[in-house]
Each structure stands twice: as structure tokens, then as C-alpha cells.
Amino acid sequence: MSLGDSIFADIAPVVSDLAPRVELSVAKGPGQGQLVALRRGAALIGSAKGCKVRLKHSDVSHAHAAIINTGEQIFLRDLLSENGTYLNELAAQHEELEDDDSLKIKPWHFKVQILGPTTRDLGDLTGLGLDPAPAAIGLEDPTTKEIIKLPRDVNLIGRGAGADFAIEDRSISRAHALIFTYLSRPVIFDLLSHNGLKVNGRTATFATIRDEDVITLGMVDVRVRIIEPLSRVKSAGNGEKISAPHPEGTFSDRIDLGAADLDRPQNRRAESTDP
């Protein structure tokens, strides 16, 4: 993949084999014993149809949490869930994940497995030609026009308290989208929001964003402001759709866990057609 191009897709791309890979094993709860591979740059966990890991239980929020793979680090982000997300028995909002962490979303307990690239793979990383990450990502307040610097590695855009960039508009979902860097490029990821996401007028689920781009969340337009490092050439406009590092696949790579899974055989990998 040429990193000078843009990603514009209806599903998050599959991460490179040179990036860390994440697996969740169900340690307790319906589906105990299943192993779920999270191969994409962004994976939603929640009760809604469309989540990568669908937890069918009344205690689980529509979009409860997300696991983000930037290509270098793995992050857990709670999405203002009603009953919370717990990492190693502590309430979690925004945390970097490590191998052998314990993740709890009632009534499920998961064990986190992070598989790093081999020593040979690490030697190949020098050939990727990654551009440096932006110095800062900001959004222009739609009312005051003040530029707000986003404070975290993974930033939640939504309505009300708890969001890193809050927009008080009824067309905005409580947890609407995430902004983070993927392969050093700023991207935005829609969280199954009710009114969707557009970048420069184009509907997308996962898209690269650049300085002066306009993202539309519900009925609200927000301008992106990015401070680039000096080594990167600034380019504006709406990028073309490109091929992901691996085939994008279909929604068939999603996993549903519910009460019916209790009677299934234990200690086996969850089936998936995702590459």
C-alpha cells in the first residue's frame, strides 16, 4: 500500500502482518473458550448488530467499547457505556493494552493476547517508509470557531460529558466517532452512529482525514486542523479509495456471543472467513 494515498472505506482495513495482532479469548461468560482474532485497525464491541464482537446482553451498550490497532500500539476505549469497561479489574476509559491483560464487560471476561511481529518481520519495518505522525490533531468548534487540540491517542467525538470533543446537537450520537492515527495517518472511524459520518461530503465508516477537511457528524460540519511535522509535504483534498493492506473482506468476520453459545463446544477458535 502506498501511504501517500488515502483510505476511504465502509469497514476498517486489515492491519499489516508487520503490525501487532490482537486476540481475545473468552475466559468467562457465554461462548467461554472461544478465541476471537481482531485483525482490523478498529474493532467495535457492543450489543448492536454490526459490532465486530457482538455481546447480546442487556448490560452491554449499543457500542460499548473499541479496540484500536494503530499499527504500532493497541488501545482500549470505553464509549461512554452504561455499565463500564474494566481492565485488570479497574474501570477503564482510555488505556493502552498489553499482552495478558484482563478485560471485563459484564457478564463477559476476556483475556487479551497481543502477538508481536517476529524478529525477521521487525527488520522489514524499515522498508515501510512510514511518514512521521502529525504534531497535533485539532477540530474547529462549530460555534466559536476555536481550534480544539485533541488530547488523546484515541479521541471520542460525541454528545455530552465524557467525549474528548463534545458537540451538543441532537443529530450527534452520544458516542459518534473516534479519531486516531493509523500507520501514522490521522483517521476517523464511525461508531455505528444513528446519523452517520461524511468526509468532504462522502459517506464513510473509516477514512483518512487531512488539514482543512470537513467532517459531517449528523447535521453538524466540523473542520479538521492538523499541524504536520516539517518532514511531511502538506496535501489537501479528498483522497481516492485505495486497496487495503489485505482484502477488506465482508461483515462475515463478526462474532456474536450470547446465551446460546453456552452449550457450544469449548476451547476452539471462533470461525471466521476474514483473511
Side-chain angles (χ1 to χ4, degrees), residues 3-209:
L3 295 176
D5 294 326
S6 296
I7 301 171
F8 206 96
D10 59 3
I11 191 170
V14 176
V15 298
S16 166
D17 290 337
L18 300 181
R21 299 180 299 281
V22 188
E23 293 183 344
L24 297 180
S25 60
V26 183
K28 181 180 178 182
Q32 184 175 350
Q34 287 200 27
L35 188 64
V36 182
L38 306 181
R39 300 182 177 92
R40 301 188 182 274
L44 273 179
I45 303 172
S47 61
K49 183 178 181 181
C51 288
K52 162 63 182 179
V53 182
R54 188 182 183 195
L55 305 178
K56 294 180 282 187
H57 194 280
S58 59
D59 285 342
V60 179
S61 297
H62 172 84
H64 195 107
I67 292 180
I68 302 299
N69 187 336
T70 70
E72 297 178 353
Q73 297 170 282
I74 312 296
F75 292 96
L76 169 69
R77 186 62 164 94
D78 180 75
L79 303 177
L80 307 182
S81 62
E82 292 293 333
N83 292 306
T85 301
Y86 293 85
L87 183 65
N88 301 325
E89 301 302 326
L90 298 175
Q93 184 182 38
H94 175 282
E95 301 290 343
E96 184 174 358
L97 289 177
E98 297 181 357
D99 186 47
D100 207 39
D101 275 345
S102 175
L103 171 63
K104 181 171 73 173
I105 297 175
K106 286 197 313 183
W108 280 270
H109 292 242
F110 299 93
K111 184 64 70 175
V112 177
Q113 299 178 36
I114 298 179
L115 311 174
T118 65
T119 302
R120 179 177 178 180
D121 290 336
L122 287 171
D124 292 338
L125 283 171
T126 56
L128 284 178
L130 290 174
D131 286 334
I137 304 173
L139 297 178
E140 188 177 280
D141 187 290
T143 302
T144 67
K145 304 305 179 184
E146 179 185 3
I147 298 173
I148 308 298
K149 180 182 176 181
L150 299 181
R152 302 178 186 269
D153 293 289
V154 180
N155 297 278
L156 177 63
I157 315 302
R159 176 169 44 84
D164 298 303
F165 188 87
I167 305 173
E168 293 301 333
D169 188 280
R170 294 184 64 84
S171 68
I172 306 292
S173 295
R174 190 160 179 260
H176 200 108
L178 294 176
I179 291 180
F180 54 97
T181 57
Y182 174 72
L183 298 180
S184 298
R185 294 289 187 180
V187 297
I188 189 166
F189 175 59
D190 183 72
L191 300 172
L192 300 178
S193 62
H194 295 302
N195 292 312
L197 165 71
K198 294 181 181 179
V199 178
N200 297 330
R202 292 180 60 188
T203 300
T205 297
F206 189 102
T208 307
I209 52 176

Side-chain angles (χ1 to χ4, degrees), residues 209-252:
I209 52 176
R210 302 184 181 188
D211 190 39
E212 298 288 353
D213 278 351
V214 175
I215 57 176
T216 303
L217 305 112
M219 302 297 292
V220 179
D221 290 341
V222 179
R223 189 172 300 277
V224 177
R225 299 309 308 268
I226 293 174
I227 301 173
E228 301 281 9
L230 294 177
S231 58
R232 181 184 290 173
V233 177
K234 181 178 177 181
S235 58
N238 194 1
E240 297 179 358
K241 186 175 180 180
I242 64 168
S243 299
H246 292 274
E248 287 184 357
T250 65
F251 294 136
S252 59

